[in-house]
Structures are given as C-alpha cells and as structure tokens.
Amino acid sequence: MSWLDMVKKAIGTGILCSLLYHGTLFIMGQPIMIKSVMVFTVVFIVLYFIWLFMASLGRKK
C-alpha cells in the first residue's frame, strides 16, 4: 500500500468512526463539543495511519 493510499484510508476511517461514535453519543443525549470531535478525529487518523504504516513494514519482510 502506498503512502497516499494509507493517508486516504486513515482519513476516511477516522471520519467514519468519529461520525459513528459522536452520532451515538448525540442520540443518547450526551453533550458534544466541536473541539472534542476534532481532537478525536485527528488523533484517530494519526494513530490509524501509524498502525497502517507499521503493518505495511512487517508485511515487506
């Protein structure tokens, strides 16, 4: 998987998971702040990208 594919996959998955997580909280009536949504999304994207990168390194050996 190339760098661009990993970035696209990380961004798409991060946005989807953030929508699911915060959507569930919203449906349950919990307060949601835009700052917490943005922080969750960015941290998820970065961590998922690191995981994809490390997984691709292990596969090459």
Side-chain angles (χ1 to χ4, degrees):
M1 190 180 305
S2 71
W3 286 90
L4 187 58
D5 291 336
M6 285 191 282
V7 170
K8 286 180 183 178
K9 188 170 187 174
I11 290 173
T13 305
I15 291 171
L16 177 67
C17 288
S18 181
L19 284 173
L20 288 173
Y21 176 69
H22 290 96
T24 304
L25 289 178
F26 181 72
I27 290 171
M28 292 188 322
Q30 298 291 323
I32 300 170
M33 295 180 6
I34 298 297
K35 183 180 177 184
S36 66
V37 172
M38 296 304 291
V39 169
F40 178 89
T41 305
V42 170
V43 169
F44 189 94
I45 289 170
V46 169
L47 291 176
Y48 191 60
F49 175 77
I50 290 171
W51 182 77
L52 286 173
F53 176 72
M54 291 177 71
S56 70
L57 287 179
R59 195 174 293 152
K60 290 179 183 176
K61 291 183 179 179

